[in-house]
Amino acid sequence: MVVNYRFVVAIPENLPLDAAAPLLCAGITVYSPMKFYGMDNATRGKTCGVIGLGGLGHMVVKFAKAFGLHVTAISSSASKEKEAREVLGADAFLLSSDAEKIKEAEMTLDFILDTLPVAHPLEPYLNLLKVNGKLVMLGVTPTPMQFITAMLLDGRRSIGGSFIGSIQETQEMLNMAAEKDVRCMIEVVPAEYINKALDRLDKNDVRYRFVVDMRENAPKM
């Protein structure tokens, strides 16, 4: 395969190809805004929240921990707390429906990355931000979203967004992932399993990325 050198990245030798593949999607999608908004050189003690613990959200937790941030996972599912803390390494967990705990956590976060792909109220999460806090939208929602401007004005908070990153950032991300052992949680499947994998995606039955093994001698399922 011949490609333009400007669009090529080197996979570090200690980073397996199946682990590297989803980093080229979910990995760079969360790494780029974390760099842009200053989470990469955050002094110790900076706090980061992530809304949603899916394919993007679990990578936010991993990169945030690698950057030295104190991480709070925010989810609508109480069953995800154990995995967030014990598997992903989150320092704290907030159930989005627990109004009392959400209230207690107001003005405790410097950054929030919102990965939800559906419309949802922003006010409860904006109140979690400290003065000058930043909420970064990563989820693509199919309908418009609204918020009360006072939540933004109070505390000089800001809302931003990001979609992908540059080739240079992608290389930086891969190098860091290899150095810090940051990897997507994946399930490797053979090519003939693709239709079943798509059915499972429709049912949200994957933790957290499928990787297709295209080798002729790929293990059967």
Side-chain angles (χ1 to χ4, degrees):
M1 180 180 294
V2 179
V3 297
N4 189 302
Y5 74 95
R6 294 182 300 167
F7 303 100
V8 173
V9 292
I11 307 298
E13 290 186 4
N14 63 327
L15 189 62
L17 293 181
D18 57 0
L23 290 175
L24 300 176
C25 179
I28 186 58
T29 298
V30 305
Y31 178 89
S32 181
M34 295 180 87
K35 289 273 292 186
F36 181 82
Y37 288 99
M39 301 178 215
D40 62 316
N41 57 8
T43 56
R44 298 291 175 175
K46 288 286 186 178
T47 53
C48 173
V50 54
I51 304 173
L53 286 175
L56 291 181
H58 90 287
M59 290 309 300
V60 172
V61 177
K62 292 194 170 193
F63 273 112
K65 291 300 297 179
F67 283 134
L69 294 162
H70 181 281
V71 183
T72 297
I74 306 168
S75 175
S76 61
S77 176
S79 62
K80 289 191 175 183
E81 179 172 5
K82 183 176 181 180
E83 184 170 90
R85 291 181 180 271
E86 299 179 8
V87 178
L88 301 178
D91 300 287
F93 181 88
L94 282 176
L95 187 63
S96 58
S97 60
D98 190 335
E100 182 178 343
K101 292 296 183 182
I102 293 289
K103 180 70 176 176
E104 291 175 2
E106 287 183 358
M107 297 193 71
T108 62
L109 301 176
D110 295 290
F111 310 101
I112 297 177
L113 288 99
D114 187 342
T115 70
L116 296 185
V118 295
H120 54 281
L122 293 181
E123 285 84 356
Y125 307 116
L126 288 171
N127 274 341
L128 297 178
L129 292 171
K130 300 178 183 178
V131 173
N132 296 324
K134 298 175 178 64
L135 173 66
V136 184
M137 306 296 296
L138 301 181
V140 180
T141 60
T143 55
M145 295 181 64
Q146 299 178 335
F147 61 90
I148 299 172
T149 56
M151 301 292 182
L152 217 58
L153 305 179
D154 183 18
R156 200 164 54 188
R157 298 160 176 141
S158 58
I159 296 177
S162 183
F163 192 62
I164 195 64
S166 68
I167 292 296
Q168 179 180 341
E169 285 179 321
T170 302
Q171 188 65 69
E172 291 177 4
M173 179 272 302
L174 288 171
N175 293 343
M176 179 181 178
E179 177 187 353
K180 302 285 189 179
D181 195 26
V182 175
R183 304 180 184 184
C184 285
M185 293 174 63
I186 62 174
E187 182 178 338
V188 181
V189 300
E192 59 265 29
Y193 190 80
I194 288 179
N195 287 337
K196 291 183 179 178
L198 290 173
D199 289 339
R200 287 178 56 192
L201 280 175
D202 284 339
K203 300 173 184 177
N204 198 28
D205 178 28
V206 56
R207 291 290 182 270
Y208 283 98
R209 280 288 190 268
F210 283 123
V211 174
V212 182
D213 190 336
M214 301 297 292
R215 296 174 300 178
E216 291 183 5
N217 61 342
K220 305 298 182 181
M221 296 189 70

